[in-house]
Amino acid sequence: MSASSDDEHPYVKYGTPLEEIDESETKPSMLKSNVPVFDQIVTDEEGRRRFHGAFTGGFSAGYYNTVGTKEGWKPSTFLSSRSNKSKRKTFQANDFMDDEDRGDFGIAPKTLSTSTDFTSKHKRNAIQEKQLNIQEEKMTLSFGANLLDCLVLPMRNNIGIKMLKSMGWKEGQGLGPHVVRRKKKKKKKSASKMKVYGCRLPGADDPDSDDENIPENFQFAPKDMMPISILHKDDNYGIGYSRLDPTAALHVKEKKSSAVKARTKSGSKLSFYGQAFGVGAYEEEDDDIYAQDSMSNYDSVMSIEKNPDNTYGWTKPLAIAGAGHKEAIGYGDTPKILFVHAKREAKLFPKVYPPPPIPNDFDPYKRMKLQRESKRIKDLNLTTVEPSTVLPPSNENQPRLTSQDREALLEDNKSPAPTKKAQSIFDFISFEDRQRMEAAKRKPVELGFKGDNKIVEQPTMVDRSKPLCDATSLKPFSNNPEKLRRYEQYERAIRQRKKDPYSVIESNLTEWERKHEQHEFARLSQVYLHLSTNISSKFTKASENEDNDSVVQREVTEPAAKMKMFGIMTHDSVEWHPDPLLCKRFNVPDPYPNSESVGVSKPFGGFKILAVMGSSSAAKTPDAGHVASEEDSETKSKTGIVSDTKCPPAFNKSRPFIGGRWDRKPVFAGPMDKPAEKEDEKSEKKEDTQTTQELEEKSPERPPMELFKSIFASSEEDTSSSEEEKEDDDDATSDQNVKTNEQEESEPVIKRASAADVFMRPIPVKENILQQAVNDPTPPKESEPDHEPMEQDEVNEQPDEKNGSDDGYFGPILPPVRPASNGVESVDRGTPPKHDKKQLKHKKKKKHEHKGKKKKKDKHR
Amino acid sequence: MFPHNKPSSKEESTDKNDTTKKTLLPEQLVYTIDCKQGAVRAVRYNFDGNYCLTCGNDKTIKLWNPKKQMLIKKYTGHGYDVLDVAGSNDNSQLASCGSDKTVIYWDVGTGQIIRRFRGHAGRINCVEFNEESTVILSGSVDSSVRAWDCRSRKSSPIQILDEAKDSISSLQVTDHEILTSSIDGKVRRYDLRVGTMFSDFIGSAVTSAKFSKDGQCILSSAHDNTLRLLDVTTGEMLGEYTGHKNSKYMIECGLNYKDDHVLSGSEDGLIYIWDLVEGTITKRVAVRPNKVIHSLTLHPEENLMIAACEDKIYFFTDENYEPPDDIG
């Protein structure tokens, strides 16, 4: 009560005044309904925030919505179980639950509700009980046996029950359409008509009372019935009698079977014996421990139980459908079992069907059906339709072998092959045909081997049984066949890597001669091998093949094919070495077991015509051929068949690459010992002498690189140097030059010829070798006409090659672009043909090669 | 199962053989399947003729039951067109090849790739198993035939047959022979038993070469609109079959299962059937006018033929043919 207060408040007041409410502040708190949704908070009973998080609606958990506790992460108590094991607490799920879990919406609500035990799912109705009982009965006094099976029920219903449930069936109901419960009423009426004395039975009225409440026409499901398990009666006892089971009485086996076995954690076996679970030590044990069985346990009288529940059981078939029947369900006090004679004699034992008989030809092992086998069978079957006019009857047991094949198999190489083939050819071709052939060729191949008789004399050169190595194909001692044979033996021994190769050769030479010869052979083979490896590394097979084949094709096969003269002219065979593994996989014996090479090698049957014509002496065509060749383009005769030799595979497979300074050229490959040598002889001889002279000057030990240099320098001279030689040329060769300038395709072949000369030339090791050249009847000529036009060709062909950079291309050279005359386009499948990329590539590659060549040329200069 | 609807535009051409001997030919179009895999590059019967395989433009191979007209399985794994496919003789593996330059060795049941063979430098046109299905042979545009080993883990081929000068167009393998045809105009036969390569020059680009059933003849089709029957041993021409059109595409030919008729696709939408001995056209079967029938496969034991044209395959049989009931 101060003055100041008096001033402000003139009245005397009691109590504390309420604070004045600021209107602006009060608004939100006052109007709770105005709280926006996002500000509203749901709390539980204790005021804890129930939901938190923006969207999750996570429940409150832990200590103030953290996962921790009041003490943090530390467990509230730690009890060592070591000392007080007995006190070990066994936790239950309930111990970890909180109020929310036990609430209405928790996982274990405490509220009263129907448990699943009482839902229809796991309801075990009377029928199931009955079933169980029956099963127990079936167990025929076996105590405990399979009891567990009866107790353990399947978790899931089988599909039949599921289907029934989906159709509206419920457990406890019978099957079938719903019926109106009218019969009962009838029954009731009939029962009510009966006079009843005394008390009513208590249960008798119940259904009636139920029925009264039921409205009319209310349909009920039919009553469930006990399924009758009809067992085959396989004993001779009376019906319903089950004998004593001695095993059960002895009670031996069941103990084991009833034992529940388990394993402890430590691994020791545990097993529980006894009547059932829960029989403790102090509890009374069941009777069966002693297996005392008394007859009182058995039915001595056959009767039906007076169980009111026995409405389930045997019913007549008309039970459900029988609307007008008085007794639809045949249960009653009196047994209604009627015995009827079986219409069919009951089989005591189920029929055992024997296994099906196995056919005699049944093969339990699966085998692969082979194509050829099926063909054979077919051939046998189709003898009638086989066009015997076309197809010669084939003996299936024998491989189809021609004489050449047999020759190959027998390795009968002693016979002079060329003449043999000559016979075959001229047997086949009539004279007129041959004439036509010549005409078709327009310019026959130059076939003669004038003066060069060494090849004709040596049919063994086509020896195909030998392993193919170009070193062997060099025949240095052609004038001394005995020595040649010895040399071949020597070569073979070297190839077999024998330590003393010469020792294998037996000869009647004196010791001095042998020594001498050994020395000679050693040097010779060294040089030859060196030569071969060097040369072979320089040249590729592709160009050579292309040359040969294209030439042969152009000369012989194409016109023949055009004239439909298929046969010898178009047929060709080449020795081909399959890979041993391929033979193995094909299940075919290796035709060349000792062969080291793989693929196509020397031809023996190929190129028959030329071999024939050459060897069958000049009487055939050589003169005519010459005339024709002069008439026609010269190049054809030149490029004309040089050799049909295909490069031995050794060249391809294990080709040593020697340096980069010898560029590969598409010029040469393969051994040059073919009888069909078609080179212009003049130039050949010329080069022959030239090289021999050069070689003579050099020491034999000198590496043959120099030799090659000289050879290649001479073969690749530019035009200016060759012009000098040109003057010395005779007319024929100069004519050739002019013509070959126009013919660009001839280039590789010419080159090869020059290289071939190297091979054919004797090596300056011994006089014997040189002797050959000296003995050569044809005088050598000075000019070297072949190589000069070639150079010109090169220049003409590749005018722009200087522009490109030398990228040092190595590798196999693909065949050049095919002549347009062939008319062969790349073929597409299903789409119009396009130009193969390959062909374009060839062009590119060719350029590269020429570039390389140029460079090399410069180097040499 | 087989609706016998005759093709409307069937040509009843020269039926010379009617009087002499009536040989049944697969001339009745029974049904057509749209393979739904783009252009069908090739159609092949399997070894015993119970199944057929088609390889398509869409990089897939499809395995069919031709009698039930049912697609059994689809094999995917190629990077480009699949150009050829072959089944092993125990029907458990497939080999296929295609524009992706790879040969794929398949497991039939699972559709998994067992091996993938790389090495060809170009598109692979044809693929074949050997008789015991231990080796796959593939012929490519790079003019080589490569033999791939199915038994070892080697990635390189067992052998390369590079004798051809141009792309290999077709392959056939028997127990000891490999027959190749090449665009360079040659048919080459590699005899493993003798160790010899036999080549026959045909002249024009050879698109297909087939052995006769007895192995005594080679049927080759070339780009000069001609089929030729050559004797294996001598190379002589035993028969020549013309009338169809084949100058642009790789068209396959074949002999029927009795070896008495020659069949070939054509670029004019017909299938031509010649009498093998007489060389006369027995039948022209119209398939699809002005389309190319490029692939053809004949049942090994029955009068059945499947031809491929664009995106469909056509099944042919003779008029008396009844499908066996015991088809699994």
Side-chain angles (χ1 to χ4, degrees):
Chain A
M1 292 213 188
S2 64
S4 62
S5 66
D6 288 347
D7 292 340
E8 290 171 3
H9 301 284
Y11 312 108
V12 176
K13 296 167 283 183
Y14 298 97
T16 52
L18 288 166
E19 279 181 9
E20 284 193 355
I21 300 160
D22 191 352
E23 281 200 335
S24 63
E25 287 175 3
T26 50
K27 263 194 177 174
S29 60
M30 292 279 282
L31 306 170
K32 282 200 171 175
S33 60
N34 283 353
V35 176
V37 176
F38 50 83
D39 278 344
Q40 291 173 9
I41 290 165
V42 181
T43 55
D44 60 5
E45 301 92 354
E46 305 193 1
R48 289 176 299 197
R49 188 169 172 176
R50 189 168 173 83
F51 301 119
H52 40 88
F55 307 104
T56 54
F59 288 88
S60 58
Y63 186 69
Y64 289 103
N65 296 334
T66 67
V67 282
T69 61
K70 197 176 180 181
E71 292 83 19
W73 283 103
K74 202 183 87 180
S76 57
T77 49
F78 173 72
L79 294 174
S80 171
S81 62
R82 197 176 178 184
S83 56
N84 43 3
K85 274 182 182 172
S86 58
K87 286 181 192 170
R88 203 199 300 176
K89 202 178 175 184
T90 52
F91 290 103
Q92 291 181 337
N94 206 15
D95 296 333
F96 300 97
M97 291 180 182
D98 61 356
D99 304 340
E100 287 178 9
D101 291 326
R102 295 185 195 106
D104 288 350
F105 308 105
I107 53 173
K110 286 275 178 181
T111 52
L112 204 65
S113 64
T114 318
S115 74
T116 53
D117 294 341
F118 295 98
T119 54
S120 66
K121 214 177 187 180
H122 295 291
K123 195 175 176 183
R124 188 180 295 167
N125 57 14
I127 289 182
Q128 277 178 331
E129 295 283 356
K130 187 92 179 167
Q131 278 177 336
L132 274 179
N133 290 338
I134 286 170
Q135 278 176 355
E136 281 170 29
E137 277 173 27
K138 276 179 198 165
M139 284 188 287
T140 61
L141 302 177
S142 61
F143 299 101
N146 299 329
L147 201 64
L148 206 59
D149 298 341
C150 305
L151 291 170
V152 179
L153 288 171
M155 282 289 287
R156 283 178 214 144
N157 287 324
N158 52 17
I159 186 70
I161 288 173
K162 273 183 194 170
M163 284 166 69
L164 281 170
K165 278 185 174 172
S166 70
M167 290 158 70
W169 177 79
K170 280 170 194 147
E171 281 182 39
Q173 293 179 347
L175 297 179
H178 286 210
V179 288
V180 179
R181 198 178 278 183
R182 205 174 287 160
K183 308 152 216 168
K184 287 249 170 116
K185 281 186 175 175
K186 277 183 185 174
K187 199 179 179 183
K188 191 199 99 188
K189 279 172 188 171
S190 65
S192 63
K193 279 176 186 175
M194 285 165 63
K195 287 183 177 179
V196 178
Y197 303 98
C199 299
R200 263 193 177 185
L201 289 169
D205 217 14
D206 288 341
D208 299 343
S209 58
D210 281 347
D211 284 346
E212 282 165 10
N213 302 328
I214 291 164
E216 280 297 307
N217 300 328
F218 191 87
Q219 292 192 320
F220 285 91
K223 273 203 164 187
D224 200 3
M225 288 167 286
M226 184 67 209
I228 306 151
S229 64
I230 297 164
L231 289 173
H232 195 96
K233 183 168 167 53
D234 54 351
D235 53 10
N236 295 322
Y237 301 115
I239 291 171
Y241 176 77
S242 56
R243 67 197 174 100
L244 284 168
D245 192 356
T247 55
L250 288 171
H251 203 276
V252 179
K253 285 176 185 173
E254 274 67 36
K255 249 193 177 174
K256 270 187 181 174
S257 65
S258 67
V260 177
K261 281 166 191 166
R263 243 171 218 278
T264 59
K265 276 180 187 174
S266 57
S268 62
K269 275 184 185 173
L270 257 183
S271 53
F272 304 100
Y273 294 97
Q275 179 69 13
F277 299 110
V279 181
Y282 301 108
E283 289 177 53
E284 240 181 280
E285 285 183 338
D286 287 4
D287 297 334
D288 67 294
I289 296 282
Y290 304 102
Q292 283 176 338
D293 201 16
S294 67
M295 288 306 287
S296 63
N297 290 336
Y298 299 95
D299 290 335
S300 53
V301 180
M302 210 169 93
S303 66
I304 287 182
E305 288 174 86
K306 290 196 175 184
N307 193 348
D309 260 359
N310 200 24
T311 49
Y312 321 111
W314 180 263
T315 56
K316 284 180 185 174
L318 291 171
I320 295 158
H325 260 261
K326 273 190 177 178
E327 273 187 325
I329 302 167
Y331 328 115
D333 293 340
T334 52
K336 297 257 177 191
I337 298 170
L338 299 170
F339 290 93
V340 179
H341 280 289
K343 283 185 179 168
R344 272 181 296 162
E345 206 174 316
K347 282 158 189 162
L348 276 182
F349 302 102
K351 192 178 179 186
V352 178
Y353 293 95
I358 298 167
N360 290 329
D361 55 347
F362 176 72
D363 187 4
Y365 302 104
K366 187 179 168 163
R367 288 201 181 82
M368 283 196 291
K369 203 170 141 196
L370 294 183
Q371 209 176 347
R372 192 45 69 97
E373 276 176 12
S374 64
K375 271 182 200 165
R376 270 176 210 150
I377 294 159
K378 217 169 296 149
D379 287 343
L380 290 173
N381 294 338
L382 296 173
T383 42
T384 49
V385 263
E386 189 172 325
S388 54
T389 49
V390 175
L391 309 174
S394 58
N395 190 352
E396 293 295 334
N397 297 329
Q398 289 177 355
R400 303 180 309 276
L401 292 179
T402 61
S403 62
Q404 294 147 26
D405 299 340
R406 281 193 292 276
E407 187 189 332
L409 287 173
L410 296 166
E411 297 187 357
D412 185 13
N413 49 24
K414 299 289 171 258
S415 65
T419 48
K420 195 178 177 183
K421 271 151 202 162
Q423 283 168 1
S424 67
I425 277 184
F426 290 105
D427 283 346
F428 279 123
I429 299 182
S430 67
F431 184 69
E432 293 94 291
D433 280 347
R434 249 180 289 137
Q435 295 269 313
R436 272 170 61 203
M437 212 171 73
E438 307 293 350
K441 279 191 281 181
R442 291 201 333 271
K443 189 207 68 59
V445 185
E446 191 181 350
L447 296 162
F449 297 91
K450 285 182 287 182
D452 201 356
N453 51 359
K454 64 173 180 180
I455 292 158
V456 183
E457 282 170 5
Q458 300 296 330
T460 47
M461 283 177 183
V462 225
D463 182 6
R464 67 191 115 83
S465 66
K466 282 190 300 183
L468 292 146
C469 174
D470 51 346
T472 56
S473 53
L474 303 167
K475 299 296 180 288
F477 310 105
S478 53
N479 52 355
N480 188 349
E482 189 58 30
K483 197 165 184 180
L484 175 64
R485 187 189 59 78
R486 287 203 298 273
Y487 180 70
E488 281 172 8
Q489 278 184 357
Y490 180 79
E491 281 285 353
R492 222 169 289 145
I494 282 180
R495 230 173 297 112
Q496 288 160 2
R497 296 196 176 82
K498 294 201 173 158
K499 279 206 169 170
D500 191 1
Y502 195 75
S503 60
V504 294
I505 303 167
E506 68 263 320
S507 59
N508 47 6
L509 296 177
T510 63
E511 190 63 30
W512 184 85
E513 278 174 318
R514 281 178 69 92
K515 241 181 192 172
H516 197 70
E517 204 178 51
Q518 184 180 357
H519 190 56
E520 181 187 316
F521 281 2
R523 279 196 296 173
L524 193 58
S525 64
Q526 194 191 347
V527 168
Y528 271 34
L529 281 170
H530 207 141
L531 267 178
S532 65
T533 48
N534 276 335
I535 291 182
S536 63
S537 67
K538 298 295 163 293
F539 307 112
T540 66
K541 174 189 150 202
S543 62
E544 187 256 350
N545 269 354
E546 178 67 18
D547 282 350
N548 279 341
D549 280 9
S550 64
V551 166
V552 174
Q553 207 164 300
R554 212 183 311 125
E555 296 278 330
V556 184
T557 52
E558 269 182 23
K562 268 176 198 156
M563 290 163 64
K564 297 182 181 176
M565 287 173 59
F566 290 98
I568 304 124
M569 310 292 284
T570 56
H571 197 60
D572 187 12
S573 62
V574 179
E575 186 174 292
W576 174 70
H577 292 238
D579 194 281
L581 183 60
L582 194 69
C583 292
K584 203 173 161 188
R585 292 276 182 266
F586 270 74
N587 207 5
V588 163
D590 194 347
Y592 306 100
N594 298 321
S595 166
E596 290 166 6
S597 62
V598 158
V600 161
S601 52
K602 268 203 247 174
F604 63 94
F607 213 58
K608 281 179 244 170
I609 297 154
L610 298 160
V612 162
M613 289 179 176
S615 62
S616 60
S617 86
K620 298 282 172 197
T621 41
D623 290 347
H626 264 298
V627 173
S629 71
E630 278 159 28
E631 283 168 5
D632 215 290
S633 72
E634 197 71 31
T635 48
K636 273 204 174 174
S637 73
K638 247 207 227 186
T639 58
I641 310 353
V642 180
S643 158
D644 198 32
T645 315
K646 292 191 177 165
C647 185
F651 282 39
N652 311 328
K653 296 286 172 189
S654 57
R655 176 190 302 156
F657 179 71
I658 303 175
R661 48 183 184 149
W662 294 85
D663 292 332
R664 293 180 188 192
K665 282 182 280 177
V667 266
F668 155 79
M672 288 299 125
D673 58 336
K674 287 298 109 199
E677 189 82 21
K678 286 287 159 196
E679 188 47 50
D680 191 350
E681 284 175 1
K682 291 170 186 174
S683 63
E684 191 180 339
K685 298 309 163 206
K686 200 266 154 194
E687 176 142 322
D688 183 358
T689 45
Q690 201 179 36
T691 47
T692 45
Q693 279 162 14
E694 283 170 2
L695 289 169
E696 272 173 334
E697 287 164 13
K698 288 161 191 168
S699 76
E701 284 81 17
R702 203 166 175 181
M705 284 294 179
E706 291 299 306
L707 180 143
F708 277 110
K709 264 189 193 176
S710 64
I711 294 160
F712 281 101
S714 67
S715 70
E716 293 195 324
E717 275 170 342
D718 57 3
T719 45
S720 63
S721 66
S722 64
E723 266 171 12
E724 296 166 14
E725 293 171 347
K726 213 177 186 179
E727 292 168 8
D728 300 333
D729 283 354
D730 53 11
D731 296 337
T733 48
S734 62
D735 281 350
Q736 270 184 351
N737 290 342
V738 176
K739 276 167 186 171
T740 43
N741 279 344
E742 294 153 10
Q743 278 274 351
E744 294 185 348
E745 288 173 356
S746 62
E747 173 219 330
V749 179
I750 300 157
K751 270 195 178 177
R752 195 182 54 162
S754 67
D757 291 340
V758 179
F759 263 85
M760 295 312 297
R761 283 327 111 219
I763 303 299
V765 185
K766 221 30 208 166
E767 280 181 359
N768 312 32
I769 318 165
L770 292 174
Q771 207 177 329
Q772 181 195 342
V774 176
N775 290 348
D776 212 334
T778 17
K781 303 208 172 170
E782 279 76 46
S783 74
E784 202 174 349
D786 292 348
H787 313 297
E788 182 251 321
M790 173 189 63
E791 286 303 303
Q792 288 177 351
D793 291 346
E794 260 187 15
V795 173
N796 293 343
E797 228 177 303
Q798 308 290 343
D800 57 341
E801 65 192 13
K802 288 159 194 164
N803 301 337
S805 65
D806 187 9
D807 55 357
Y809 178 84
F810 297 110
I813 292 143
L814 290 161
V817 185
R818 297 177 60 77
S821 61
N822 206 10
V824 174
E825 291 266 332
S826 74
V827 174
D828 216 336
R829 201 186 275 252
T831 50
K834 288 177 229 163
H835 275 288
D836 252 335
K837 277 183 186 172
K838 205 182 90 186
Q839 295 192 348
L840 297 172
K841 267 186 203 165
H842 292 174
K843 277 182 187 169
K844 267 188 195 168
K845 279 177 186 172
K846 227 183 177 182
K847 267 187 194 174
H848 286 313
E849 281 157 32
H850 285 298
K851 271 174 227 159
K853 230 180 268 174
K854 275 248 159 176
K855 207 182 177 187
K856 198 200 78 187
K857 226 184 283 169
D858 296 338
K859 213 186 264 177
H860 290 317
R861 220 165 272 162
Chain B
M1 188 181 286
F2 276 64
H4 287 274
N5 50 342
K6 292 186 180 183
S8 57
S9 59
K10 207 186 91 182
E11 287 187 26
E12 296 292 337
S13 62
T14 57
D15 273 334
K16 283 182 180 176
N17 279 16
D18 273 351
T19 51
T20 54
K21 52 169 183 178
K22 176 73 180 176
T23 49
L24 296 167
L25 295 170
E27 56 191 355
Q28 301 267 358
L29 177 65
V30 183
Y31 56 85
T32 308
I33 292 180
D34 187 355
C35 292
K36 288 174 185 152
Q37 46 182 170
V40 177
R41 298 302 194 202
V43 59
R44 298 277 179 267
Y45 265 118
N46 78 324
F47 174 72
D48 52 9
N50 283 336
Y51 302 97
C52 89
L53 292 148
T54 57
C55 33
N57 191 20
D58 68 341
K59 313 167 192 175
T60 61
I61 302 156
K62 281 183 176 178
L63 173 66
W64 305 85
N65 185 333
K67 306 202 171 171
K68 292 183 174 175
Q69 311 170 35
M70 193 172 70
L71 173 66
I72 297 167
K73 205 166 176 67
K74 189 171 152 186
Y75 300 88
T76 52
H78 269 290
Y80 283 100
D81 291 25
V82 190
L83 295 181
D84 197 4
V85 66
S88 69
N89 58 358
D90 55 355
N91 284 337
S92 60
Q93 277 99 30
L94 296 180
S96 67
C97 63
S99 300
D100 57 355
K101 304 176 191 171
T102 59
V103 175
I104 295 184
Y105 184 47
W106 303 87
D107 184 67
V108 169
T110 61
Q112 299 288 310
I113 296 172
I114 304 170
R115 301 279 307 275
R116 203 191 271 265
F117 300 106
R118 294 185 181 85
H120 274 294
R123 202 174 53 211
I124 307 172
N125 277 334
C126 44
V127 71
E128 275 285 345
F129 274 106
N130 74 329
E131 184 143 63
E132 295 180 1
S133 300
T134 50
V135 176
I136 297 172
L137 289 121
S138 61
S140 162
V141 171
D142 68 359
S143 76
S144 72
V145 173
R146 280 161 207 251
W148 309 94
D149 195 356
C150 301
R151 291 287 161 92
S152 73
R153 304 291 299 164
K154 227 168 53 169
S155 62
S156 56
I158 302 174
Q159 192 169 9
I160 303 173
L161 319 177
D162 52 357
E163 282 72 46
K165 305 293 182 303
D166 210 327
S167 28
I168 305 291
S169 55
S170 81
L171 258 178
Q172 198 183 356
V173 186
T174 66
D175 55 349
H176 69 285
E177 287 165 309
I178 303 165
L179 181 71
T180 70
S181 69
S182 172
I183 303 300
D184 66 1
K186 279 195 172 182
V187 174
R188 291 178 177 79
R189 180 169 61 92
Y190 299 86
D191 196 324
L192 275 89
R193 226 151 50 180
V194 183
T196 310
M197 182 194 84
F198 301 94
S199 66
D200 285 302
F201 183 72
I202 302 292
S204 184
V206 188
T207 60
S208 176
K210 293 269 161 67
F211 274 120
S212 61
K213 295 277 187 299
D214 60 355
Q216 294 289 314
C217 307
I218 298 171
L219 179 73
S220 72
S221 84
H223 260 187
D224 51 358
N225 304 319
T226 314
L227 297 174
R228 291 180 183 86
L229 190 72
L230 302 174
D231 189 275
V232 160
T233 47
T234 62
E236 283 163 20
M237 190 168 77
L238 304 171
E240 197 177 23
Y241 311 96
T242 53
H244 69 303
K245 220 177 129 196
N246 181 12
S247 54
K248 266 169 101 179
Y249 297 98
M250 205 127 94
I251 285 175
E252 288 166 5
C253 59
L255 290 150
N256 71 336
Y257 76 109
K258 285 181 176 174
D259 260 1
D260 55 357
H261 280 83
V262 173
L263 297 98
S264 173
S266 175
E267 286 161 21
D268 52 6
L270 303 170
I271 294 170
Y272 286 74
I273 306 176
W274 292 268
D275 189 90
L276 183 123
V277 180
E278 292 172 21
T280 52
I281 294 176
T282 314
K283 211 81 173 178
R284 289 191 199 91
V285 183
V287 180
R288 214 164 165 187
N290 299 321
K291 302 285 183 191
V292 179
I293 297 149
H294 58 276
S295 187
L296 201 73
T297 182
L298 287 140
H299 195 281
E301 281 151 23
E302 289 164 29
N303 235 340
L304 295 169
M305 173 175 71
I306 310 175
C309 176
E310 289 193 336
D311 57 342
K312 291 188 177 66
I313 51 175
Y314 299 84
F315 287 77
F316 295 91
T317 181
D318 59 41
E319 50 205 12
N320 292 351
Y321 178 74
E322 282 180 13
D325 295 330
D326 56 342
I327 307 158

